[in-house]
């Protein structure tokens, strides 16, 4: 059933992507966009630097959540490894690799590592949803989410929490204790603010690409479009979310009057930029902190949750 709820929407999204590709892909326009970007090297370096800074902020938030138990460098390496793995494999196992890298630091055990990754991923989604809602209200976009989807999402969350409470009470108690400790006082506020800012900065690639292609998109509109696009990656079934990313970004840009062919071109270029960044950053962290393929394969095969 869980696979159906993920694969069902994923297949529909990929069908939309195929439709968009057949009808709105213009190779000459995409190539021209790449050439235009290369003719602006300073802007290219700037948007990649801003993109890197967004991951540095995520690493900082992770370090704060762990109350300084892990080094900032370890957190950043884990996040960049996760980014690389998610752009190489069709399933999202990057977070698992990210958590296991953290456990190599003797100050953090497996449970704390996986807990921190899970909570921060939930926080990421909450921030993206919050940014999207702010955009819907402040930008006066004439689009409403279907009521049934909101109700279904609420029911699903309630059922999930009920199951965890009934069957894994000690598990829930332990993790709530870790959550409460991490988000107490100013530390919690700092984690939230840093996470929100990281998502604002991550939209830099989209903003810079639109500028180069002579499009018109404000900073708030860019952050809103990026938030919708990244939220759609929960249905990833292809390396790096190929198809998901393009479909959601074309939809988001269409809300601001971008023609579908122009939105598709922007989506292809920005996604290529993110792929290239993930591979370059991945190559750097592999050189700095090499991990064998056999080790990563062993991590990915890990399954199960302790009840007590």
């Amino acid at each position: 059933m869980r696979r159906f709820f993920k694969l069902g929407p994923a297949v529909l999204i990929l069908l939309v992507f195929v439709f968009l590709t057949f009808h709105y892909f213009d190779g000459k326009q995409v190539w021209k966009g790449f050439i235009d970007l290369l003719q602006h090297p300073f802007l290219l370096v700037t948007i990649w630097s801003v993109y890197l800074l967004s991951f540095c902020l995520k690493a900082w938030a992770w370090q704060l959540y762990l109350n300084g138990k892990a080094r900032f460098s370890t957190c950043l390496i884990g996040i960049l490894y996760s980014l690389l793995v998610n752009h190489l494999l069709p399933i999202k196992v990057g977070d698992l690799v990210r958590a296991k890298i953290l456990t190599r630091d003797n100050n953090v055990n497996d449970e704390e590592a996986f807990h921190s990754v899970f909570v921060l991923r939930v926080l990421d989604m909450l921030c993206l949803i919050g940014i999207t809602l702010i955009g819907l209200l402040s930008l006066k976009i004439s689009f409403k989410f279907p009521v049934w989807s909101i109700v279904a999402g609420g029911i699903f969350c309630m059922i999930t929490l009920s199951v965890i409470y009934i069957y894994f009470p000690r598990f829930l108690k332990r993790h709530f204790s870790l959550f409460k400790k991490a988000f107490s006082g100013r530390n919690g506020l700092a984690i939230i603010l840093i996470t929100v800012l990281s998502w604002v900065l991550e939209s830099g690639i989209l903003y810079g690409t639109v500028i180069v292609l002579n499009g018109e998109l404000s900073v708030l509109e860019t952050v809103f479009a990026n938030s919708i696009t990244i939220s759609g990656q929960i249905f990833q079934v292809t390396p790096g979310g190929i198809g998901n990313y393009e479909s959601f970004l074309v939809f988001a840009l269409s809300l601001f009057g971008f023609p579908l062919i122009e939105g598709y071109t922007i989506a292809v270029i920005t996604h290529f930029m993110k792929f290239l960044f993930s591979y370059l950053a991945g190559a750097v962290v592999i050189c700095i902190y090499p991990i064998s393929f056999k080790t990563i394969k062993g991590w990915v095969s890990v399954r199960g949750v302790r009840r007590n």
Side-chain angles (χ1 to χ4, degrees), residues 175-203:
H175 286 268
F176 180 75
S177 176
L178 292 171
F179 176 86
K180 185 178 179 180
K181 182 179 180 181
F183 275 98
S184 61
R186 295 180 180 179
N187 197 57
L189 180 61
I191 292 170
I192 295 171
L193 292 177
I194 291 170
T195 302
V196 171
L197 181 57
S198 73
W199 287 114
V200 171
L201 294 180
E202 185 164 328
S203 64

Side-chain angles (χ1 to χ4, degrees), residues 18-87:
V18 172
F19 173 83
L20 291 171
T21 302
F22 272 105
H23 290 83
Y24 299 104
F25 176 74
D26 187 334
K28 291 182 179 179
Q29 188 166 339
V30 171
W31 179 251
K32 181 180 181 299
F34 283 127
I35 297 301
D36 290 341
L37 269 177
L38 292 176
Q39 290 176 345
H40 295 79
F42 178 75
L43 179 61
L44 191 59
V45 172
T46 300
I47 61 179
W48 264 359
S49 298
V50 171
Y51 193 52
L52 174 61
L53 181 58
S54 73
F55 291 107
C56 291
L57 289 179
K58 287 181 175 63
W60 186 19
W62 194 13
Q63 184 187 32
L64 288 176
Y65 189 84
L66 293 164
N67 289 296
K69 285 186 177 181
R71 295 188 298 270
F72 171 79
S73 58
T74 303
C75 293
L76 181 58
I77 288 172
I79 287 174
L80 293 178
Y81 255 111
S82 172
L83 184 69
L84 174 63
V85 171
N86 284 338
H87 280 79

